[in-house]
Amino acid sequence: MSDRKSAREKIREQQAAARARDRRRRIVTYVTAGVVAVAAVGLGWWYAASTSQPEEAAGAMAPITVQADGSVVMARQGVTRPVLDIYEDFQCPACKEAERVSGQTFKNLAGEGKAKVVYHPITIFSQEPTKSNSVRAGNAARCIADGKQWLAFHNLLFENQPPETEQGFKPDQLVQLGQQAGVTAPGFQQCVTSGQHSEAQLAYSKKIGDEQKLTHTPTVKLNGTEIENGVIFSPRELRDAVTEAAK
């Protein structure tokens, strides 16, 4: 009798242990699924950006004019609307990705006379080393008065963006990038190494950030209304939005 009882108890213990293991497996599964779901929400637009096909280069480039405040206008003569304002930070990884995916679309829209594109290079970071990296890059861009040279330098800055945790965009590197971009201004090197426009870069960043209530970069506004990230990182949707705004 005692042997049969002992056997039954062992079976019950084994069953209880199996149920406990099953509960633990379910808990681990739920927690893992929750983490993946949160990650998917955070990385969804990165996935969309990485799978979007950048638009290919089209026709002639629109004229590019560097403004006194540091912003840069790309537009055909007489084109005043729709206006695409691009608020970007040269140290911002998402801005780099936006340039990779949709940068050519912005240029094409301006070249086709379908939009007036305005670049606003700002410093949005407040912590180091990203803040100083951004300021040095922004200062260097302000040292260029020629529009085509500025755009070439702009593209090289994103292509050579340093990691957020490292000091980068050092003066010597920025001078070299300027040479690659074809910058010919005789005072460019001195302007970069002295940080001539660093204060102006920070002042403009604060002014435009306050006026536009910017909380992140990239921020792209179409006729003053912010475009969703999903549109920014989809060249086709971006083109459609601009075309619709032109009607």
Side-chain angles (χ1 to χ4, degrees):
M1 181 72 177
S2 61
D3 290 342
R4 287 198 298 272
K5 182 178 179 181
S6 176
R8 286 195 297 270
E9 289 176 349
K10 287 182 179 179
I11 293 172
R12 283 198 294 269
E13 289 173 357
Q14 291 171 352
Q15 290 173 338
R19 287 194 295 271
R21 286 195 299 270
D22 185 59
R23 283 196 298 272
R24 285 195 296 272
R25 282 197 298 269
R26 287 199 300 271
I27 290 170
V28 171
T29 301
Y30 296 152
V31 171
T32 303
V35 171
V36 172
V38 171
V41 171
L43 297 175
W45 69 270
W46 280 105
Y47 175 78
S50 66
T51 56
S52 297
Q53 292 298 318
E55 194 167 288
E56 294 183 0
M61 189 84 68
I64 305 164
T65 307
V66 179
Q67 306 294 302
D69 63 0
S71 62
V72 177
V73 176
M74 182 187 298
R76 289 284 178 197
Q77 185 174 0
V79 176
T80 58
R81 289 179 72 84
V83 180
L84 275 168
D85 287 290
I86 305 170
Y87 303 93
E88 57 187 6
D89 188 317
F90 292 124
Q91 177 59 73
C92 163
C95 298
K96 176 180 179 178
E97 185 68 5
E99 173 61 26
R100 183 189 73 81
V101 174
S102 294
Q104 190 59 52
T105 303
F106 290 125
K107 298 175 181 67
N108 288 348
L109 288 167
E112 295 162 16
K114 295 182 178 178
K116 174 183 177 181
V117 176
V118 186
Y119 294 94
H120 301 270
I122 62 172
T123 295
I124 200 167
F125 293 102
S126 59
Q127 296 182 332
E128 298 294 351
T130 49
K131 178 181 178 180
S132 292
N133 290 354
S134 172
V135 172
R136 283 192 292 272
N139 167 73
R142 286 171 172 269
C143 293
I144 303 172
D146 179 89
K148 289 184 178 180
Q149 294 174 8
W150 182 93
L151 186 63
F153 187 67
H154 163 277
N155 297 345
L156 285 171
L157 286 175
F158 281 125
E159 290 173 13
N160 292 273
Q161 185 185 89
E164 293 178 281
T165 57
E166 298 178 10
Q167 186 182 44
F169 286 142
K170 296 180 181 180
D172 288 349
Q173 180 195 17
L174 292 168
V175 171
Q176 291 177 355
L177 291 177
Q179 293 172 349
Q180 291 180 38
V183 176
T184 56
F188 177 71
Q189 181 172 350
Q190 174 62 26
C191 181
V192 171
T193 56
S194 68
Q196 181 175 329
H197 301 295
S198 295
E199 291 186 7
Q201 171 70 13
L202 288 169
Y204 180 74
S205 299
K206 185 178 188 311
K207 176 178 179 292
I208 209 72
D210 291 344
E211 288 178 355
Q212 299 298 324
K213 297 178 173 57
L214 302 178
T215 59
H216 61 276
T217 53
T219 294
V220 179
K221 295 190 176 185
L222 177 56
N223 291 336
T225 300
E226 184 172 349
I227 298 176
E228 295 180 355
N229 273 339
V231 176
I232 296 173
F233 289 90
S234 173
R236 177 173 293 182
E237 291 186 43
L238 176 60
R239 178 174 284 277
D240 288 345
V242 173
T243 302
E244 182 64 27
K247 293 180 181 179

